[in-house]
Amino acid sequence: MRFTPGMRGARLLVRRRRPARAAGARPPLLARLRVRTKLMLLVLPPVAGLLAFTVLSAMAQWNEAHTLKDFKASTEVSFATAGFYDAVARERLAEVLAQAAPDRPGTVADRNAARRATDRALAAAEGTASGHEGQPDVAGVLGSVDNQLHAVRLESGSGALTAAQIEQRYATVATYLLDTVRRLDSGRPTRTSGRAGDAYLAVLGAVEAAARERVALAALLATPHPDGQDAAAGRWSALEAAQLDTFRQTASGPLRARLAGVLLQPAGRTVRATRETLLAGGAQPQLPSLEHWLTASGDRLTALRGIAHDAAGELAADADQGLKAAQARGERELALSVGVLFAVTVLALVLGRSISRPLSEVSEGAKALAEGDLSYDVHYTGRDEIGVVADTFRELHVTSERLAAEIRTMSTAIDDNRLGHRADVAAFGGTWAQLLGGMNATMASFAAAHGRRRKAERELASIFHLSLDLLCICGTDGYFKRLNPAFERTLGHPAGTLLARPWLEFVHPADRARTRAVLDRLANGAESAEFENRCLRADGTERWLQWSARPVTGEGLIYAAARDVTESRRADREQAALRRVATLVARGDPPHEVFTAVAREVGMVLSTGPAAVLRYEADGAVTVLGSAHADTSAGEEAAAEVAHTRGPARAGRSVGAPIVVDDRLWGAVVAASTGPEPLPPGTESRLADFTELVATAIANADSQAQLRASRARVVAASDASRRRIERDLHDGVQQRLVSLQLDLRTAESMMEDRSADVSQQLAHLGKGLDDAFEDLLQISRGIHPAILSRGGLGPALRALARRSAVPVELDLRLPPDRLPEPTEVAVYYVTSECLTNAAKHARATVVQVEARTYDDVLEVTISDDGSGGADPGGGSGLIGLVDRVEAIGGRLGITSPPGSGTTLTARLPLRERPTDV
């Protein structure tokens, strides 16, 4: 039975009883086989699998045994190769001693004996390796080593090699042999053999390091004037220590204990003491004699070689033990597999007989029941499924027919959309009643779900149509399948037009390639995508849409939602433009730059062509202060309308907004459309935001101009007062003092007695009048220097330098013509104040004054080497200097770090700056 729900109902399919086989039809092969034969066929696969497993296990054990056998053979070859290496190491020492200490007794005989021993070891290694197959090619390695040894012996005998060169050539041969040993022992079929192999290779490495150390120090001790102790010390001991550490980590306990004993023997202590002496250095290290070193190092090396021999024995024992264990394991597994195979076969025969006999009785009884013979008696009394088959066959047949009828009736009701139909559960019992009850519950759930689905569809349709966002379903073929009314409102096209045309036609041409790429990604299985593009309305205007889409790949559909973000993007652009203009206003940039920036930003934000900032003149004319397009005539109508209404106005294709400064109409900002269509509504209010910033910039510029003018008037009035006081002092008080001095001299000349007290008093008064006159002259010069008015800035600065208490270095590069009077006066007082501060407060030793002109600017730099720390905000006279310089449009900068002197830089304009307001 199969239950398949559909869109309008469900269909119940009942497998019908197959009709009786036609007479004479041949049954299938398996139907013709006896049950016992089927059971045997059922048993054969596991038996065959077990047999195959047995064969594979035996093959695996054979391969493992073969691998262990090959490893054992490789270890035997490696041991022979290691013996050959040991002979080469001994010959190396003999050759080096023969070269370094030719006068030592027995040196030549030892060398010849070592060569013979090496040849015997080579012959033994070649004999062992003759039957070796595989990698490495040991026979080839031994042949190559034999050729190298002959070459070294010939060159050594001819004296062409030094002791160091001989040692290096033999070291190359020894390293080659040790690498061959490592490759032979690299098989490691078991963990135990792997650790034994690592221990054996590590102790061989330690033996090689000790042997090379022995040779190097023997050559060093045999030299009459040893050099290079530092090079000989520590080189091989570190390598030996590293190899012995590896040996301790992998060797067995007895070998580690034996190694500890070897290192603590007297020979080991002698070697260690020699190493420490060499490492300590010194002018004349206390080294042992050559014979003492050879004896001690030889005993220690012999002990290490003994450990290497024992490690080789352990490795050979592990390889032999692993081979025997693998062979025994294979024999056990083979015997066990054969036993299990025999037991399974016997059990299969017994089970086949126990099943085939009662099944034959049951089948005969079923035939009798099918023929209506109730007298047939089945003698099988087993409590298994075979005994139940005959008892339940007829009852099952009747019940199944009734159940199929109920199912067919329910399928018909589903096809007719009669979802209220229910099966008669009371006519059945047990499982059949539960099955029909479940079908009735399924029918009720289906009816309820059908109702809920219709309700959800109605709610979804309401939301779909009422949503302000744009909702749609489109196919991967590029056409809309369904869309809500928000699409019609936003794009201005009717639904029929949107559904009939590919929706990429409604996308702005500049965004179509990017949009098509997103659709391709969604069609190829991307989970979702979010992007923005521009769509064209029916009237040709652009709308920015922000999309979120998700594909349904199996149905070839894309569900998407979009939001119109045109106004938010426009607002963001306007706010960014306003921030940029506000930054210029806050920074105090010149008004003409602000006006140009405002016109440019208005043109970009409103997407218009011409845009300009205008000022209304007193005679009714209009002056363009900044524009974003060469043609500004398009906004003349709007400017005239703004001047007439004193408010935002629109005239033709142009709009304008007034600029109001201090409650008076100062000017306007205008913009015009370049196309035939007028600017959109609301453009006037958007212009008003820019006019407020322009008004602020104008007010700031006006305030700054008034401040500069006020400062200039104060400074001019102060200078005029100084000149008036200076003239009054010169024409009044100074003249009276001169007259009094003359009268006093006349009175003094009229006295007859020069020694009288009156004469002395008159002389004292004359001296006081002279001093008062000099003080008054200094005060007069400080109030307003006459030399500045007569000679100009250069002579005035030189006069200040001559009168300064601190040496002054002048570097004046001034034009030959006179500078503006306010500029000369400001520079004079700045220099005078700096010289006074350098003498009174800074304790300077020298002051440098530089003055030069460039680009209509006078730059004066005054620096001293005093104590520094000058602060204009501390109430000093520097505040007055800043006001004086800034009053004429200049800038004054002071750098005065404590302890590093003071540098003052003044930049003053040589002509008055024009104003833009």
Side-chain angles (χ1 to χ4, degrees):
M1 181 177 65
R2 182 176 61 197
F3 181 70
T4 305
M7 294 299 294
R8 299 183 54 191
R11 180 181 301 274
L12 294 176
L13 302 178
V14 179
R15 187 183 302 275
R16 298 182 177 180
R17 186 176 60 184
R18 295 181 179 178
R21 186 180 300 275
R26 189 176 183 81
L29 175 62
L30 293 179
R32 299 197 303 270
L33 296 178
R34 305 288 294 178
V35 173
R36 179 175 296 179
T37 305
K38 294 180 181 180
L39 291 175
M40 293 305 298
L41 292 176
L42 183 65
V43 173
L44 281 178
V47 171
L50 182 61
L51 181 61
F53 176 78
T54 303
V55 173
L56 292 176
S57 177
M59 292 179 63
Q61 295 298 330
W62 181 82
N63 289 333
E64 182 180 0
H66 182 71
T67 301
L68 291 170
K69 184 177 179 181
D70 291 343
F71 177 72
K72 183 178 179 182
S74 296
T75 56
E76 293 175 357
V77 176
S78 73
F79 297 154
T81 306
F84 177 46
Y85 150 75
D86 192 30
V88 171
R90 297 176 189 273
E91 181 180 338
R92 173 176 56 192
L93 176 63
E95 290 286 349
V96 171
L97 289 176
Q99 179 66 30
D103 299 331
R104 179 174 172 270
T107 298
V108 178
D110 292 341
R111 181 185 63 183
N112 295 333
R115 289 181 176 179
R116 290 191 296 272
T118 301
D119 294 336
R120 290 193 299 271
L122 174 60
E126 289 177 343
T128 305
S130 60
H132 178 73
E133 297 179 357
Q135 295 296 327
D137 183 10
V138 182
V141 171
L142 295 177
S144 174
V145 169
D146 187 17
N147 294 333
Q148 295 180 38
L149 286 177
H150 280 296
V152 174
R153 288 173 181 175
L154 292 175
E155 291 180 288
S156 175
S158 63
L161 298 177
T162 63
Q165 292 174 338
I166 293 173
E167 194 276 337
Q168 187 62 38
R169 298 284 287 276
Y170 274 97
T172 302
V173 174
T175 303
Y176 191 23
L177 291 175
L178 287 177
D179 289 339
T180 304
V181 172
R182 289 189 182 92
R183 294 173 63 187
L184 288 170
D185 294 337
S186 61
R188 305 178 183 182
T190 64
R191 183 177 181 181
T192 304
S193 61
R195 291 181 61 86
D198 290 339
Y200 174 62
L201 294 176
V203 74
L204 281 182
V207 167
E208 171 61 9
R212 295 197 69 174
E213 181 187 39
R214 187 186 186 200
V215 172
L217 291 184
L220 177 68
L221 297 174
T223 305
H225 300 287
D227 293 325
Q229 299 97 308
D230 294 339
R235 179 185 306 171
W236 305 114
S237 60
L239 178 59
E240 177 189 332
Q243 295 292 341
L244 291 180
D245 287 340
T246 304
F247 176 80
R248 293 186 185 98
Q249 295 175 4
T250 56
S252 62
L255 289 180
R256 291 197 299 270
R258 185 175 176 185
L259 174 63
V262 168
L263 297 179
L264 294 176
Q265 288 178 356
R269 291 197 298 271
T270 301
V271 172
R272 186 168 59 253
T274 304
R275 291 173 177 174
E276 293 173 355
T277 301
L278 287 172
L279 291 174
Q284 295 181 350
Q286 298 296 323
L287 298 176
S289 64
L290 175 61
E291 298 300 326
H292 184 54
W293 164 251
L294 290 175
T295 301
S297 61
D299 293 341
R300 183 174 180 274
L301 189 59
T302 300
L304 289 177
R305 286 172 174 154
I307 295 175
H309 181 270
D310 293 343
E314 288 188 359
L315 177 58
D318 290 337
D320 184 69
Q321 183 178 1
L323 177 59
K324 292 179 180 178
Q327 292 174 347
R329 194 162 51 249
E331 293 173 357
R332 288 195 306 270
E333 291 183 1
L334 180 61
L336 180 61
S337 299
V338 172
V340 172
L341 181 62
F342 177 78
V344 169
T345 304
V346 172
L347 181 61
L349 294 174
V350 173
L351 289 177
R353 183 174 179 79
S354 67
I355 292 174
S356 61
R357 289 185 62 186
L359 189 60
S360 298
E361 291 185 6
V362 172
S363 65
E364 291 297 330
K367 290 179 182 179
L369 290 176
E371 296 172 357
D373 185 5
L374 301 179
S375 62
Y376 186 86
D377 188 16
V378 178
H379 297 284
Y380 180 68
T381 59
R383 303 179 62 182
D384 55 7
E385 293 81 356
I386 300 176
V388 182
V389 172
D391 298 334
T392 60
F393 178 74
R394 184 177 294 105
E395 182 180 357
L396 177 63
H397 180 273
V398 174
T399 304
S400 62
E401 285 292 342
R402 292 170 54 204
L403 183 63
E406 289 291 341
I407 293 175
R408 285 193 295 270
T409 303
M410 184 166 287
S411 297
T412 303
I414 292 174
D415 290 338
D416 296 340
N417 202 19
R418 293 182 287 109
L419 301 181
H421 175 77
R422 300 292 183 269
D424 185 9
V425 180
F428 296 86
T431 304
W432 306 121
Q434 296 176 5
L435 176 61
L436 290 178
M439 292 178 63
N440 288 338
T442 301
M443 179 70 82
S445 299
F446 183 76
H450 188 68
R452 288 194 300 271
R453 187 191 68 183
R454 288 186 175 276
K455 181 180 179 182
E457 287 177 352
R458 290 192 298 270
E459 294 176 350
L460 181 60
S462 299
I463 296 174
F464 188 79
H465 286 85
L466 294 176
S467 175
L468 297 178
D469 289 336
L470 287 75
L471 306 177
C472 69
I473 302 174
C474 64
T476 55
D477 57 355
Y479 285 86
F480 286 113
K481 306 302 180 183
R482 187 180 180 185
L483 45 82
N484 66 342
F487 266 92
E488 301 180 50
R489 293 192 299 268
T490 302
L491 298 183
H493 293 283
T497 303
L498 294 171
L499 293 173
R501 294 162 55 186
W503 81 281
L504 279 177
E505 292 185 7
F506 303 102
V507 178
H508 192 281
D511 296 342
R512 288 177 183 172
R514 180 165 52 87
T515 304
R516 185 178 293 106
V518 175
L519 294 179
D520 292 341
R521 290 202 305 271
L522 291 172
N524 292 331
E527 293 185 1
S528 61
E530 294 182 358
F531 62 99
E532 290 185 2
N533 64 6
R534 289 169 292 176
C535 290
L536 300 176
R537 286 178 50 84
D539 57 4
T541 59
E542 301 175 1
R543 306 298 295 180
W544 276 94
L545 299 183
Q546 186 179 60
W547 293 87
S548 179
R550 183 180 298 276
V552 182
T553 308
E555 300 179 8
L557 299 177
I558 298 175
Y559 291 82
R563 177 169 297 175
D564 189 354
V565 295
T566 306
E567 297 302 327
S568 62
R569 288 177 62 91
R570 180 182 299 165
D572 291 342
R573 290 200 306 271
E574 290 182 8
Q575 292 301 319
L578 289 172
R579 283 194 297 271
R580 289 192 291 269
V581 175
T583 301
L584 297 177
V585 174
R587 200 166 55 197
D589 284 10
H592 71 279
E593 296 182 5
V594 176
F595 297 152
T596 303
V598 168
R600 183 175 60 253
E601 297 293 349
V602 166
M604 288 191 297
V605 168
L606 301 182
S607 299
T608 63
V613 178
L614 310 177
R615 181 178 62 192
Y616 297 124
E617 303 296 346
D619 56 357
V622 176
T623 303
V624 179
L625 300 180
S627 65
H629 197 277
D631 182 15
T632 58
S633 60
E636 292 179 357
E637 296 180 2
E641 189 67 21
V642 170
H644 177 69
T645 61
R646 303 182 64 84
R650 177 184 293 267
R653 294 184 295 104
S654 62
V655 295
I659 301 173
V660 180
V661 179
D662 295 336
D663 296 331
R664 66 183 179 87
L665 182 61
W666 186 90
V669 176
V670 296
S673 173
T674 56
E677 298 295 330
L679 293 175
T683 305
E684 299 90 330
S685 60
R686 294 161 65 188
L687 281 178
D689 296 333
F690 289 94
T691 59
E692 292 177 2
L693 290 175
V694 174
T696 302
I698 294 170
N700 289 345
D702 192 23
S703 299
Q704 292 177 1
Q706 292 178 5
L707 178 60
R708 286 197 298 269
S710 176
R711 283 182 172 178
R713 288 194 298 271
V714 171
V715 172
S718 176
D719 292 341
S721 298
R722 287 174 179 268
R723 285 193 295 272
R724 187 176 62 255
I725 293 172
E726 190 271 335
R727 286 196 304 270
D728 292 343
L729 289 176
H730 182 272
D731 298 338
V733 179
Q734 289 183 4
Q735 297 300 325
R736 292 184 62 187
L737 287 176
V738 172
S739 298
L740 289 174
Q741 285 179 328
L742 294 176
D743 292 342
L744 185 60
R745 295 290 184 269
T746 302
E748 185 180 5
S749 63
M750 293 172 63
M751 290 188 62
E752 296 179 357
D753 187 3
R754 297 285 183 177
S755 61
D757 294 336
V758 177
S759 178
Q760 295 178 358
Q761 186 66 25
L762 289 176
H764 178 69
L765 291 175
K767 181 63 170 62
L769 285 174
D770 292 339
D771 294 339
F773 183 78
E774 291 295 331
D775 292 341
L776 183 60
L777 185 60
Q778 293 296 329
I779 292 173
S780 176
R781 291 173 177 172
I783 292 174
H784 187 78
I787 190 172
L788 183 62
S789 301
R790 295 192 301 268
L793 182 59
L797 293 180
R798 296 187 184 92
L800 281 177
R802 288 193 299 270
R803 295 199 304 269
S804 174
V806 179
V808 178
E809 297 179 358
L810 292 176
D811 183 9
L812 306 179
R813 286 172 283 179
L814 301 174
D817 299 333
R818 290 290 298 271
L819 301 177
E821 182 181 0
T823 302
E824 291 185 341
V825 172
V827 173
Y828 179 85
Y829 282 115
V830 167
T831 307
S832 177
E833 182 68 22
C834 289
L835 295 178
T836 301
N837 290 339
K840 290 184 178 181
H841 307 295
R843 298 184 298 277
T845 60
V846 66
V847 179
Q848 295 178 344
V849 179
E850 299 179 3
R852 63 189 183 94
T853 59
Y854 62 92
D855 297 336
D856 294 332
V857 174
L858 172 62
E859 182 179 271
V860 179
T861 303
I862 304 171
S863 58
D864 62 58
D865 58 352
S867 58
D871 183 10
S876 64
L878 295 176
I879 297 177
L881 298 181
V882 173
D883 292 340
R884 175 177 287 275
V885 171
E886 292 184 352
I888 61 175
R891 290 289 185 268
L892 187 67
I894 300 174
T895 303
S896 183
S900 299
T902 301
T903 299
L904 182 145
T905 301
R907 294 180 178 86
L908 301 99
L910 297 180
R911 60 182 180 182
E912 186 178 0
R913 293 181 178 178
T915 178
D916 297 311
V917 183

